[in-house]
């Protein structure tokens, strides 16, 4: 009986190790595919934003922006398991690049605007790479942040609408600072979620990280723009 129990225990341990190894391989595959698609969508989005700036194309307005964003996000979610999901990702990120163009035009028109944009871009890249590297090296599980981040995003979204409609600059600045912290947390959470098997679809992982980077960049732009004016 003891020998049978020991053999059963060893078999269970072997199965557990095998499952963990399989999960790790799967997580790294999703991460690799995510980073590849993310780099392509960021480039495509940058080209779209650059074209919008170059041809002075006006922004779509808040209503069309929200409809376009949530509509394309819904389509991407529905198509995430098909080849059309990739096309939907490029449509979503291209649209967001288009909405970013007028914002870039605004800052580039300011004194020292080019410096503001380049600094925001550099800071975004450093924050993303630094936090992602920390998760990959430490392999820490940041899933415990899910509830906090969700509540924070809801509060930030609602208050940002209030700041927009009631034109409260101080509140907008506070929201931008809050968004930098929230997006930093999202980078930790999303990267951890991928490598630990919480997110197994690289299309949705790409969308999550892209939106995080987009929000981080625009929030840093606003903060640096205010500092430049001081």
């Amino acid at each position: 009986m003891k020998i049978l129990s020991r053999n059963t225990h060893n078999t269970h341990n072997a199965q557990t190790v095998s499952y963990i190894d399989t999960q790790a391989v799967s997580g790294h595959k999703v991460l690799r595919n995510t980073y590849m698609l993310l780099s392509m969508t960021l480039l495509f989005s940058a080209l779209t934003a650059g074209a919008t700036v170059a041809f002075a194309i006006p922004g779509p307005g808040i209503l069309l922006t929200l409809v376009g964003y949530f509509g394309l996000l819904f389509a991407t979610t529905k198509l995430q398991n098909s080849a059309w999901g990739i096309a939907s990702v490029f449509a979503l990120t291209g649209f967001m690049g288009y909405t970013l163009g007028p914002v870039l035009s605004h800052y580039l028109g300011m004194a020292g605007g080019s410096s503001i944009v380049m600094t925001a871009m550099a800071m975004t890249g450093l924050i993303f790479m630094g936090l992602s590297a920390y998760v990959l090296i430490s392999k820490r599980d940041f899933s415990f942040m899910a509830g906090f981040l969700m509540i924070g995003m809801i509060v930030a979204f609602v208050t940002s609408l209030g700041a927009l409609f009631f034109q409260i600059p101080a509140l907008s600045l506070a929201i931008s600072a809050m968004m930098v912290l929230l997006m930093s947390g999202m980078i930790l959470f999303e990267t951890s979620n991928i490598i630990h098997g919480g997110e197994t679809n690289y299309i949705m992982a790409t969308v999550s990280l892209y939106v995080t980077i987009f929000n981080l960049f625009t929030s840093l732009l606003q903060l640096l723009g205010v500092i430049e004016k001081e």
Side-chain angles (χ1 to χ4, degrees):
M1 291 293 292
K2 290 182 179 180
I3 294 175
L4 179 61
S5 176
R6 187 181 299 113
N7 288 340
T8 303
H9 180 69
N10 290 339
T11 301
H12 175 72
N13 286 341
Q15 290 175 339
T16 301
V17 171
S18 177
Y19 171 75
I20 293 174
D21 289 343
T22 302
Q23 188 180 51
V25 171
S26 177
H28 283 91
K29 181 179 179 181
V30 173
L31 186 69
R32 183 177 65 252
N33 291 338
T34 297
Y35 281 171
M36 185 181 301
L37 183 57
L38 179 64
S39 62
M40 290 189 291
T41 54
L42 285 171
L43 177 59
F44 180 65
S45 183
L47 292 173
T48 306
T52 305
V53 172
F55 294 104
I57 301 174
I62 182 63
L63 183 60
L64 183 57
T65 297
L66 291 175
V67 171
Y69 170 71
F70 284 109
L72 289 169
L73 181 61
F74 176 79
T76 303
T77 303
K78 285 292 185 180
L79 299 169
Q80 62 179 288
N81 295 314
S82 71
W84 286 104
I86 296 179
S88 185
V89 170
F90 277 97
L92 173 61
T93 55
F95 177 76
M96 293 184 72
Y98 158 52
T99 64
L100 181 62
V103 177
L104 293 177
S105 295
H106 168 73
Y107 284 100
L108 289 172
M110 296 171 54
S114 297
S115 176
I116 294 173
V117 172
M118 294 304 295
T119 302
M121 191 179 299
M123 289 178 67
T124 301
L126 288 173
I127 291 172
F128 176 75
M129 290 188 293
L131 294 176
S132 296
Y134 173 72
V135 177
L136 294 174
I137 293 171
S138 69
K139 301 189 185 302
R140 286 192 59 185
D141 186 355
F142 287 92
S143 59
F144 65 90
M145 298 177 67
F148 168 77
L149 291 171
M150 180 177 292
I151 294 172
M153 288 301 298
I154 292 173
V155 172
F157 179 74
V158 173
T159 52
S160 64
L161 290 178
L164 179 65
F165 287 114
F166 295 104
Q167 297 294 310
I168 308 175
L171 181 57
S172 297
L173 190 62
I175 294 170
S176 293
M178 179 182 178
M179 286 296 289
V180 170
L181 295 177
L182 282 173
M183 293 305 102
S184 297
M186 284 295 293
I187 293 171
L188 294 172
F189 172 78
E190 292 294 346
T191 307
S192 169
N193 202 30
I194 294 170
I195 66 174
H196 289 101
E199 178 57 79
T200 58
N201 187 289
Y202 72 93
I203 289 179
M204 296 311 299
T206 297
V207 170
S208 297
L209 287 176
Y210 174 89
V211 172
T212 298
I213 293 170
F214 183 94
N215 288 328
L216 178 60
F217 175 64
T218 53
S219 298
L220 287 170
L221 263 182
Q222 184 167 8
L223 290 173
L224 292 171
V226 171
I227 293 173
E228 183 70 22
K229 289 180 180 179
E230 295 295 330

